[in-house]
Amino acid sequence: MKKTRPKRFVEIYFVLYLAALVLLIPDKKHEDKQATSLISSLLQSSFVLQPEHTVLMCRVIRTGDSTVILDCDSLNTIYHSGAVRDLQYDFRIEDQSYKNVVQLSSQKTNSSSSFHILGRGDEGSVQFSWNPPLSEGKNRLYQVSVSATASPLLPPGLTDEQRRYLSDAMQDEGEIQIHAETKFTLALVYVDGGSAGSTLAELNPQILAQSDSTFRKRYEELLAEVNKPRFLPAPVGEFSLQPREKIIKMIAYQPFENRIRVYGADPQRECDSFRVSGANASYRFEGPDLVVTGTTPPSGMALYTVSARRISDKKDTSVSFRVLAMNLDAPQVPQHMYPGLNYTFNPNVPVISGLPAGATLRDEHGTEILSSVSGELFNFKPRPEDTSRVFSFERTLNGRKIGQTIQIPVLAFPSPEIIDISQQNGQVWVRTRSYGIEGDVRARVKLEISVPTISKVQERMGDYSYDPRFNIHVQLFQFTPQQSAFSVRAINGYKKSSERREYQIRD
């Protein structure tokens, strides 16, 4: 097996640099104009839109007057590649049956009852969401056309002189604007949920009769697109490349791989001149496949192109795929814990097909305490002896750590509190709140009073209560002081006390 051969990625910036050198030729305005046109073309070729899904399908079962959603894709993310700024997205949603058109823009707050735009293009992507019109009871197809306009960013590596030449050459043209387009389809379909043995793929015949005559054909095409296999058979003898995944979604800065199936030739013996363009791209051979590996970009989308030549007839072929950087959502974990309380940990790990994701809680020695093998929620209750210990929480994707390690200390319970002081029938009543696990007598308090009392301080045991959700002990005391003015504080068995409260007996 051949060794992995890393391939250099020829950045668009390098080409821009060469074009800038052309501008240094004096007194040749036609060269300047050609260079400007070349720069515009190169920048345009790097600006690409890619929807996460080509089809958003919502399938509904209707029986009588009731409607049940079987499955529904309601959100699509539109990514872009290229170094650009000031992005503006425009969406044109056309109802294929009724020819109604809704237009939305990312630069405006406009929206409709069914369609919405979320996010900002300069953040790497925007999201399109829709609410299928279920109340109408009709099959619907929509074609969504997306166009984006942006201003290209010149490479930071240019010198001031080169940047000045570029600005002068483009001054006559005005600010360069580049454009990109893409499309995807929305489908609302009513499927038959009433017949025995139904696969739920058949269209509801009553609603189908109300639909356009071409709806069934288009629905079958969309269904085939949604369910198509990853590798499609190639014609016998045809030399071609086919990626297993056209779009790979991965956390930023994480390694990824994609298999490229080689048809019509043995990749190791009958091909040469394999080339992989893309940042940090490399490849290796595994049987009939070329395995491309790399690192996910920090944000947005990266384009990778694989090309090869068959030795026997010198035929060239190539194929491209894209890698999208996914945002890593923060986990939902406690900032700190108290002994005896039950805490829920939500790892919030990304769902990526074929890659195991999990989370682990460890003690200060690195020993595993609990783990989530598939990203599921788990619970942890520190013991009293865990007080002052520091646990750590971390997440993994495909065995590699992702995100930050979170330190979670176990704190001692807060000090006791005096809730209120009141008078009743010549006696003083003091209600306290203290913290600790149930059954821990040292968590309960006694009162310290600044003046002597006529009678012994008595706790009303019948009024004692305990809240297991927060490990709170509530106690009620009564006494008769010898003086009208005094102070009082509550002290538990761990010598932790409340703030001292002053009180004046009212006549």
Side-chain angles (χ1 to χ4, degrees):
M1 179 176 293
K2 295 183 181 180
K3 295 182 179 180
T4 299
R5 294 181 288 180
K7 297 293 180 180
R8 295 183 179 272
F9 175 46
V10 181
E11 295 281 357
I12 189 68
Y13 300 153
F14 178 71
V15 182
L16 287 173
Y17 174 74
L18 295 179
L21 292 180
V22 176
L23 299 179
L24 298 177
I25 303 174
D27 302 324
K28 292 187 178 181
K29 292 185 178 181
H30 64 283
E31 280 90 346
D32 290 351
K33 194 167 185 178
Q34 289 177 354
T36 303
S37 177
L38 174 61
I39 292 169
S40 299
S41 298
L42 290 171
L43 290 170
Q44 178 64 62
S45 66
S46 70
F47 184 39
V48 178
L49 298 185
Q50 178 66 55
E52 183 176 5
H53 305 287
T54 57
V55 180
L56 297 184
M57 185 174 292
C58 183
R59 292 191 282 187
V60 180
I61 300 173
R62 184 174 180 179
T63 55
D65 295 331
S66 63
T67 299
V68 178
I69 295 178
L70 177 61
D71 53 59
C72 190
D73 299 319
S74 61
L75 190 66
N76 203 7
T77 303
I78 315 299
Y79 298 89
H80 76 265
S81 64
V84 294
R85 61 178 173 83
D86 300 331
L87 275 89
Q88 177 174 334
Y89 282 85
D90 293 296
F91 291 78
R92 185 178 188 274
I93 306 106
E94 180 179 352
D95 190 319
Q96 298 293 284
S97 297
Y98 300 94
K99 302 305 178 183
N100 297 329
V101 174
V102 175
Q103 292 184 321
L104 301 176
S105 173
S106 63
Q107 299 299 104
K108 301 177 182 179
T109 57
N110 59 345
S111 64
S112 71
S113 59
S114 298
F115 311 108
H116 308 274
I117 299 175
L118 310 172
R120 296 180 52 185
D122 285 334
E123 296 173 349
S125 65
V126 296
Q127 290 182 317
F128 174 90
S129 68
W130 75 306
N131 300 315
L134 302 180
S135 60
E136 298 179 5
K138 297 178 180 179
N139 295 317
R140 302 293 287 270
L141 281 177
Y142 301 89
Q143 182 73 51
V144 182
S145 301
V146 188
S147 63
T149 303
S151 300
L153 293 173
L154 293 178
L158 293 177
T159 66
D160 292 340
E161 184 178 5
Q162 292 166 350
R163 192 174 295 276
R164 185 171 59 254
Y165 271 111
L166 283 171
S167 299
D168 292 343
M170 297 178 187
Q171 198 167 33
D172 294 338
E173 301 289 333
E175 185 178 5
I176 293 179
Q177 292 285 303
I178 54 179
H179 306 271
E181 297 181 350
T182 190
K183 293 182 178 181
F184 58 92
T185 302
L186 311 177
L188 169 61
V189 292
Y190 285 81
V191 295
D192 188 358
S195 60
S198 171
T199 63
L200 297 182
E202 286 297 321
L203 293 169
N204 185 292
Q206 288 77 25
I207 297 179
L208 178 62
Q210 306 169 12
S211 303
D212 186 87
S213 59
T214 61
F215 183 85
R216 175 182 285 276
K217 180 180 179 181
R218 182 61 180 142
Y219 167 71
E220 291 175 350
E221 292 174 351
L222 295 175
L223 193 62
E225 184 174 349
V226 171
N227 298 325
K228 66 183 178 182
R230 291 182 172 179
F231 284 131
L232 299 176
V236 177
E238 180 178 327
F239 180 47
S240 63
L241 304 175
Q242 188 178 119
R244 182 175 184 179
E245 303 287 352
K246 291 185 178 180
I247 302 175
I248 295 177
K249 295 185 294 181
M250 181 57 67
I251 300 300
Y253 301 108
Q254 294 297 309
F256 73 86
E257 72 172 34
N258 197 11
R259 290 183 173 272
I260 310 298
R261 178 65 52 86
V262 181
Y263 290 101
D266 185 320
Q268 298 191 59
R269 295 182 302 172
E270 300 175 344
C271 298
D272 64 2
S273 301
F274 274 106
R275 299 177 300 280
V276 180
S277 67
N280 303 314
S282 62
Y283 68 85
R284 67 180 187 273
F285 295 109
E286 288 188 6
D289 296 339
L290 194 71
V291 182
V292 178
T293 60
T295 303
T296 312
S299 63
M301 176 176 62
L303 176 68
Y304 289 79
T305 300
V306 182
S307 57
R309 172 174 293 178
R310 187 162 57 185
I311 298 175
S312 60
D313 55 5
K314 304 301 181 183
K315 181 178 180 181
D316 295 317
T317 186
S318 64
V319 73
S320 297
F321 65 91
R322 292 177 171 83
V323 178
L324 306 179
M326 297 176 60
N327 294 326
L328 181 60
D329 295 329
Q332 297 176 11
V333 300
Q335 294 182 343
H336 54 259
M337 298 181 288
Y338 293 108
L341 292 182
N342 192 46
Y343 295 90
T344 298
F345 289 72
N346 181 1
N348 218 357
V349 291
V351 179
I352 299 178
S353 177
L355 295 182
T360 305
L361 185 67
R362 302 180 185 276
D363 64 14
E364 63 271 31
H365 306 296
T367 303
E368 181 179 304
I369 304 300
L370 285 172
S371 65
S372 169
V373 295
S374 301
E376 70 275 6
L377 280 66
F378 64 88
N379 296 316
F380 177 65
K381 180 188 287 188
R383 303 165 299 174
E385 53 266 36
D386 291 329
T387 303
S388 300
R389 298 181 68 183
V390 178
F391 294 86
S392 61
F393 173 87
E394 62 183 24
R395 296 178 289 177
T396 58
L397 180 64
N398 200 25
R400 293 172 57 95
K401 176 187 169 184
I402 57 174
Q404 299 295 319
T405 298
I406 301 175
Q407 304 294 327
I408 308 173
V410 179
L411 305 179
F413 280 111
S415 299
E417 302 169 322
I418 293 178
I419 302 175
D420 58 58
I421 303 176
S422 61
Q423 294 175 230
Q424 186 175 345
N425 298 327
Q427 291 187 318
V428 174
W429 298 65
V430 178
R431 191 179 305 274
T432 65
R433 179 191 297 120
S434 58
Y435 301 86
I437 62 175
E438 187 174 12
D440 183 4
V441 295
R442 298 178 65 186
R444 297 173 67 168
V445 300
K446 294 182 179 180
L447 294 186
E448 179 185 86
I449 306 170
S450 62
V451 299
T453 59
I454 296 175
S455 60
K456 182 179 179 181
V457 177
Q458 180 180 357
E459 179 180 356
R460 295 179 62 88
M461 302 303 294
D463 292 303
Y464 166 80
S465 65
Y466 176 77
D467 187 345
R469 295 174 301 167
F470 305 103
N471 284 19
I472 293 177
H473 302 262
V474 176
Q475 296 169 259
L476 181 62
F477 300 87
Q478 67 179 52
F479 61 90
T480 303
Q482 292 184 2
Q483 301 178 21
S484 60
F486 62 90
S487 64
V488 61
R489 67 173 180 168
I491 306 175
N492 66 15
Y494 298 99
K495 305 302 181 183
K496 299 185 70 173
S497 64
S498 68
E499 294 184 1
R500 187 173 293 277
R501 288 276 298 273
E502 305 289 337
Y503 190 76
Q504 174 71 47
I505 295 179
R506 300 182 303 274
D507 294 334

